[in-house]
């Protein structure tokens, strides 16, 4: 799992969190600028914490049974990447 894997994981989490957080702020009636700012800040924080935690767990040999997106877990179920 190289740098590209972790950057891709960070980007996916960041994008999903940004959309959800910004949409929630917009639904609460906040201005677009406010919603975008909060979406960016909290998405960056969330994606960083998630990615660092998963990186640490991967280094410890713990693999996410739900995610099943690491090369080690993919090798066991026959899926191709």
């Amino acid at each position: 799992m190289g740098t590209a894997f972790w950057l891709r994981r960070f980007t996916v989490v960041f994008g999903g969190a940004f959309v959800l957080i910004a949409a929630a702020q917009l639904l609460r009636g906040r201005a677009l600028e406010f919603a975008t700012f909060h979406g960016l800040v909290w998405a960056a924080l969330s994606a960083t914490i998630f990615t660092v935690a998963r990186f640490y767990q991967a280094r410890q040999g713990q693999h996410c049974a739900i995610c099943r997106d690491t090369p080690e877990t993919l090798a066991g179920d026959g899926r191709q990447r």
Side-chain angles (χ1 to χ4, degrees), residues 9 50 54 57-58 61-70 73:
R9 174 170 272 187
F50 177 81
R54 286 295 302 132
Q57 291 168 350
Q62 301 171 352
H63 300 291
C64 180
I66 296 172
C67 301
R68 300 191 59 80
D69 62 351
T70 60
T73 57

Side-chain angles (χ1 to χ4, degrees), residues 7-26:
L7 287 175
R8 185 172 43 249
R9 174 170 272 187
F10 177 86
T11 304
V12 168
V13 173
F14 179 85
F18 172 74
V19 169
L20 288 174
I21 294 166
Q25 291 296 325
L26 289 171

Side-chain angles (χ1 to χ4, degrees), residues 14-78:
F14 179 85
F18 172 74
V19 169
L20 288 174
I21 294 166
Q25 291 296 325
L26 289 171
L27 288 173
R28 293 184 70 191
R30 309 279 196 222
L32 180 61
E33 295 82 16
F34 182 86
T36 303
F37 176 74
H38 275 258
L40 288 172
V41 170
W42 286 106
L45 184 64
S46 301
T48 300
I49 291 171
F50 177 81
T51 305
V52 168
R54 286 295 302 132
F55 180 75
Y56 176 77
Q57 291 168 350
R59 298 277 299 193
Q60 299 297 315
Q62 301 171 352
H63 300 291
C64 180
I66 296 172
C67 301
R68 300 191 59 80
D69 62 351
T70 60
E72 293 83 7
T73 57
L74 284 174
D77 65 2

